[in-house]
Amino acid sequence: EKYYDGNYNITDFKLDGRDISITFDNHHKEYIVISCYHLRDFPLDHYEHWRSYNIIPPIGGNFSRGFNQRFLIGCYWNSEEVGTPDLQFKNILMKFQDQFYNKNKWYLFKPLATEQTHLLKKIHIPSKNDLAVLTDIVGTLSLILCDNINVTHIKSLGLFSMNKEDKEKKILILSKYLECEGLIEEHDDHITFLLKLQAMRSKGLSSSHPFSTEASKIVNDYFGFEDINSNSQNLSESIFIKARDFLISLCEKIAIV
């Protein structure tokens, strides 16, 4: 959690920042594996931090499949199939943005502004129930997948007509575009997810005050969790999984189309 403040970049097996750069195995939900060899060069404050969280390895604990494939065997590994859902989402987001732009020469989801890039670095599956982290996830994913839909360019294509009252509904515009391009089916659950994600943010999911009835109902009815407080870690994971699967589906369809 210390390194998810936006000042460090955490990717598969790598932590980089202004005062530290290490290779570690972060493909486990319950723990992180790091070689003692790497600890020896840590600045003292970082060394003390990591040492304070040292644990006895769990029964059967070992390097992850992805770490073994990349560093011990030296063979290809698919970053969308191994690792934790938050890292998988960040990997597939980068892949989708590149793949879509290379094919169409415009972005379906406008890239984050320079001053917003730290938001993507910060979001992650928390190590325990943490409402503040969940709130950041909902806010940042809503920004990336809802607010940043490239509505202006989609409208300029003239692929479909819309009622006047629907012309500012970004997710509806995205849905119609994806349907026209054969990338989703009508009433696709991925679009439902975007609507629920947007609604959770707009209807009062916040770490600073009690949840609105509407937000709690979305979490219960759509994600299947009765209480947000005691399930914020699992809910965070579920949100990343749905966001990841949405982009994976688009990548697969783009490759076919």
Side-chain angles (χ1 to χ4, degrees):
E1 302 294 332
K2 172 183 173 69
Y3 299 99
Y4 282 106
D5 61 357
N7 293 314
Y8 297 88
N9 189 36
I10 299 176
T11 56
D12 293 285
F13 316 126
K14 193 70 175 177
L15 165 63
D16 283 307
R18 61 187 181 279
D19 55 353
I20 188 173
S21 179
I22 58 170
T23 299
F24 62 167
D25 184 358
N26 58 343
H27 275 200
H28 300 282
K29 182 177 179 180
E30 298 83 9
Y31 57 90
I32 289 172
V33 181
I34 183 170
S35 168
C36 292
Y37 174 83
H38 291 106
L39 286 175
R40 68 176 188 173
D41 296 324
F42 274 24
L44 182 60
D45 57 333
H46 290 283
Y47 175 83
E48 293 292 347
H49 174 78
W50 282 77
R51 192 176 69 166
S52 70
Y53 287 96
N54 191 27
I55 61 172
I56 298 174
I59 297 175
N62 209 326
F63 289 116
S64 65
R65 181 164 65 96
F67 191 90
N68 278 325
Q69 288 178 319
R70 181 169 180 178
F71 293 102
L72 303 184
I73 301 176
C75 67
Y76 171 80
W77 64 285
N78 190 333
S79 61
E80 298 141 36
E81 295 179 355
V82 298
T84 54
D86 49 352
L87 293 174
Q88 291 171 346
F89 167 76
K90 293 177 184 181
N91 289 331
I92 193 64
L93 174 64
M94 183 168 55
K95 176 181 176 180
F96 171 78
Q97 291 286 70
D98 290 344
Q99 189 171 322
F100 189 91
Y101 184 84
N102 289 338
K103 183 173 183 178
N104 300 284
K105 304 308 176 188
W106 60 281
Y107 289 106
L108 184 60
F109 302 103
K110 292 180 289 185
L112 292 172
T114 302
E115 63 271 17
Q116 297 173 322
T117 54
H118 71 284
L119 298 174
L120 184 59
K121 292 179 181 180
K122 286 178 64 176
I123 58 174
H124 62 287
I125 298 172
S127 57
K128 58 185 178 183
N129 287 318
D130 190 324
L131 183 60
V133 174
L134 172 62
T135 304
D136 286 344
I137 292 169
V138 171
T140 300
L141 293 188
S142 295
L143 172 64
I144 294 170
L145 300 177
C146 303
D147 297 353
N148 280 12
I149 295 170
N150 199 342
V151 169
T152 301
H153 194 92
I154 293 175
K155 288 179 178 178
S156 73
L157 299 175
L159 297 176
F160 50 85
S161 59
M162 299 191 72
N163 299 327
K164 184 177 180 180
E165 59 269 23
D166 291 335
K167 285 187 176 181
E168 300 307 316
K169 295 180 179 179
K170 290 187 175 184
I171 297 176
L172 178 60
I173 293 171
L174 173 68
S175 176
K176 286 187 172 293
Y177 168 75
L178 295 177
E179 287 179 31
C180 287
E181 293 294 318
L183 299 177
I184 63 169
E185 303 292 333
E186 190 176 3
H187 307 303
D188 192 283
D189 183 63
H190 296 309
I191 298 301
T192 302
F193 162 67
L194 295 184
L195 291 169
K196 299 298 184 184
L197 183 69
Q198 186 182 60
M200 285 173 66
R201 179 184 62 177
S202 64
K203 294 187 181 299
L205 177 62
S206 170
S207 59
S208 60
H209 58 72
F211 321 111
S212 68
T213 302
E214 293 91 339
S216 297
K217 183 171 173 41
I218 292 170
V219 170
N220 190 359
D221 294 349
Y222 185 70
F223 291 98
F225 298 108
E226 293 185 3
D227 179 70
I228 300 178
N229 258 325
S230 60
N231 289 287
S232 57
Q233 182 189 37
N234 291 330
L235 178 56
S236 297
E237 183 174 14
S238 294
I239 291 172
F240 272 118
I241 289 172
K242 285 188 174 293
R244 175 204 66 190
D245 289 351
F246 171 48
L247 294 182
I248 287 177
S249 175
L250 292 184
C251 281
E252 291 173 347
K253 295 287 180 60
I254 289 173
I256 294 173
V257 174

